[in-house]
Amino acid sequence: MLKLKSVNFEQQQFQIHQLSQSRSGQMEWMIGRNSTCDLILTNPEVSRVHGQIIYSDETYHFIDVGSTAGSLLNGEVVPANQKQALHAGDLLQLGETFLYVEELSPPEPISLISQSDSIAETPLPVNQWTAGDLTVRCCRIIEETPDVKTFCFAAEPAILFNYKPGQFVNLEVEIDGKPVIRSYSISSSPSRPWHIRLTVKRVYSPADDPDAPPGLVSNWLHDHLKVGDRIKLIGGVCGHFTCLPDLPAKLLLISAGSGITPMMSMSRWVQDTLAKSDIVFLHSARTPEDIIFRRELETMATQMSNFHLAVTLTQPANHPWMGLTGRISKSMLNLVVPDLHDRAVFVCGQAGFMHNIKATLETMNFPMQNYQEESFGGRKKSIVSAQPTVSANVEPPTTLLWEPSPSLIQGSHAHNHANHNHASHNGNGQHASHKPHLEATSAGIATADPAVCFAKSGQEVAADGTTSILELAEQEGIEIRNACRVGACGACKVHAREGKVHYDSQPAALTEKDREAGYVLACVAYPVDRLVVDA
């Protein structure tokens, strides 16, 4: 056990720290500002990971791991990455924080199991989570950049999180007494299944529209969620944006801003599983301070021969920058990825960013069947007009029409579908077997007056063919949980007992099995005739 007293005269902080084993066989402890460190020092002059204490040869040693401000031991500069033996009475200085070594003794093993037990005899949980709602506890918060945090969640009792790298979850929190759902990509890897990580960027009102509301849930997480708090994951793991199960031999991961999160999940999976897939990771950020996971990415590029990192900055850097600058262009892709046409491309970022990348690749004759993109989109604006208007010489758009099979109308449920795996990158949720009844119809045309009967609330509402089920429900004060409002996340899936709906385009989050079971997506489904839904 190592006992330290920390003194920060500038902040008037005095604390006692005791470094003991938090896991069996632990012989090293990290010191820094990062919340993952064993000894956390909040002084801004302390680096995120400043130093390390290790116990070897019956002696404690301190190592400065390349901190920005450096370290002093008894007034002498500690050379980076060199072990310095510690003794009782020594004084370490890290930035403006002084650490006084008060007591030294061999590490005390943790006593989580009795002496008669062994780790092998300790039963491990076998439950896995892929579907259904799950309450999880926030067990760690990591400040990645000034406006980005990673929230680590674990279940109690512990279970294994089963998902594919690149997928996302729907998170529900209560704000002002009302549940709110949003979709977030998973930034952790399924190779580390005991917890799940969501990396969230604070969302500000856009400069060109300062009156627009900022990100409600993202900013609430930044401002209010604390370690120990509990939130709910809704509906299971979602999404088809993943490099599995058929891992390409060569990958190009292109991201901007917080779009880096699913790319990190894929990269961490390749690293942990020692997969041979060759990765080019091209990321766009505003400034060096905005590069999320920068230290980890640089470490991966150093340690993995099959991982190639390229970062471009879109705004002038305050410090010298030797990397790429400017937006991702054809010339930049030719420079960074000379074998572009041999790779599978995954893209994630804001809609404008992805549109530009896709257009650039098309001008380069890239085989677009090897292209995938991920976006949760934005909220659709409600349709104000009561009736759809169609110009006399313009043919109305063709839409997809769906109706339940007769057995479903009679209340027969042949399937039970708890798995909500939905995607928003390509809209392809189809399978070859047993397609539902689909036919082309003109938007707004129906064989009977459209209406929605909300079975649970007993209300029936007239519809105009241009207002979605969700919008009709909200107008009547009927709650249907929802998140993306563009058919991407699947949170608003409801069961339709009878009737028909049409979609402007095939919704990404509605699978073949969902349709067979009689489900519709309330946010993008428009009633064609009298529709009865369980809401």
Side-chain angles (χ1 to χ4, degrees), residues 6-13 41 43-46 50 69-70 92-99:
S6 67
V7 180
N8 188 304
F9 296 103
E10 182 178 344
Q11 299 180 357
Q12 294 295 303
Q13 292 180 348
L41 302 175
N43 188 284
E45 293 190 7
V46 175
H50 194 109
L92 270 171
Q93 183 178 352
L94 284 60
E96 296 298 324
T97 300
F98 294 84
L99 294 173

Side-chain angles (χ1 to χ4, degrees), residues 401-403 430 433-439 512 515-516:
L401 175 69
W402 177 89
E403 60 178 328
Q430 300 293 321
S433 61
H434 188 58
K435 292 183 179 298
H437 175 60
L438 290 172
E439 59 187 55
E512 180 87 2
R515 289 189 295 272
E516 291 174 359

Side-chain angles (χ1 to χ4, degrees), residues 10-28:
E10 182 178 344
Q11 299 180 357
Q12 294 295 303
Q13 292 180 348
F14 307 89
Q15 294 178 288
I16 297 178
H17 310 275
Q18 185 170 295
L19 298 183
S20 56
Q21 289 185 338
S22 59
R23 62 180 184 273
S24 180
Q26 182 178 8
M27 294 295 174
E28 57 185 43

